[in-house]
Amino acid sequence: MSDPQPLDQLVAACHWIGAKGWAPATGGNMSVRQDAHFCLLSESGKDKGSLTRDDFIQVEIASNHAPSGRKPSAETGLHTLIYRLFPDAGAVLHTHTVNATVLSRVEEGAALLLYGYEMQKSLTGQHTHEDTVAIPVFDNSQNISALASEIEDYAARFPLRYGFLLRGHGLTCWGKDVSEARRHLEGLEFLFECERQHRLLEKK
């Protein structure tokens, strides 16, 4: 790879995610775009808090094929889908946090709607707490190809920005580079925690 910096930044982000407990028990997967044709994706079954550069596998965006023959993440097809849908996407982060997992199960609608929070402005293009940020929620599936097709169909009909939730699974988010993807992850995770706490208080 001609420019190693994005991968180094992704490794650092993975260590940060691991330290926060946002990808427990080798869960989660992270990637960075290498160029128009390839991305570098975390290898399956690795602890995200201790990943090194060698734990990332080159994957062809168009086909999900790993030229090395090594096994990338089970959710490879979701990463490559995002890179195909959004040519400006430079990094994808998939985490398994308690907040995202719980909210994805209790939210009965097609999207988790966030509004009234100042931290919405941590998301690129958001300038006021008065807007509503919709994070789509899709049913979890072990058939990643079918799930990717469902998400692609949704993106053809509705705006798909920042990320999406899989029920009982977690959050997948992205950005133009590792720094933006990391900011979106941290911002969304804060918003999810606020929303979860708000819903608990409303029930009292």
Side-chain angles (χ1 to χ4, degrees):
M1 188 171 63
S2 59
D3 181 8
Q5 186 179 19
L7 182 55
D8 291 334
Q9 291 174 344
L10 183 59
V11 169
C14 290
H15 293 175
W16 169 75
I17 288 168
K20 285 184 170 291
W22 288 355
T26 76
N29 35 80
M30 295 78 184
S31 69
V32 65
R33 184 190 291 275
Q34 189 173 24
D35 54 33
H37 305 289
F38 291 95
C39 65
L40 297 168
L41 183 63
S42 54
E43 189 168 12
S44 180
K46 297 281 187 175
D47 173 31
K48 303 309 176 292
S50 58
L51 291 179
T52 70
R53 291 172 55 86
D54 293 336
D55 294 317
F56 288 83
I57 302 170
Q58 186 184 60
V59 174
E60 187 175 22
I61 293 171
S63 68
N64 298 327
H65 174 66
S68 67
R70 292 164 64 192
K71 182 183 178 182
S73 164
E75 282 94 13
T76 294
L78 301 184
H79 288 252
T80 56
L81 170 67
I82 292 165
Y83 291 128
R84 291 196 304 272
L85 287 177
F86 308 112
D88 60 340
V92 180
L93 306 174
H94 169 57
T95 55
H96 294 183
T97 69
V98 172
N99 292 321
T101 302
V102 170
L103 282 175
S104 71
R105 293 197 65 184
V106 300
E107 176 55 55
E108 297 179 353
L112 174 64
L113 303 181
L114 303 167
Y115 56 91
Y117 298 111
E118 181 69 13
M119 277 296 290
Q120 290 170 208
K121 294 193 294 185
S122 66
L123 306 174
T124 298
Q126 294 298 318
H127 304 294
T128 174
H129 65 283
E130 296 177 346
D131 287 340
T132 297
V133 175
I135 305 299
V137 183
F138 300 99
D139 289 336
N140 191 26
S141 174
Q142 303 306 306
N143 186 336
I144 298 300
S145 294
L147 180 57
S149 295
E150 180 183 353
I151 296 170
E152 185 173 15
D153 179 67
Y154 177 95
R157 296 179 292 121
F158 306 103
L160 180 59
R161 301 186 67 190
Y162 313 119
F164 56 81
L165 290 163
L166 300 178
R167 293 193 194 278
H169 188 157
L171 169 70
T172 298
C173 67
W174 56 88
K176 66 181 180 182
D177 51 27
V178 174
S179 178
E180 184 174 83
R182 177 170 168 164
R183 190 181 79 243
H184 287 167
L185 170 60
E186 187 169 25
L188 286 169
E189 183 59 29
F190 176 87
L191 291 166
F192 292 163
E193 184 167 2
C194 288
E195 184 66 14
R196 183 177 167 218
Q197 291 293 333
H198 178 69
R199 293 186 183 197
L200 286 172
L201 290 171
E202 279 191 325
K203 290 182 178 181
K204 291 184 178 180

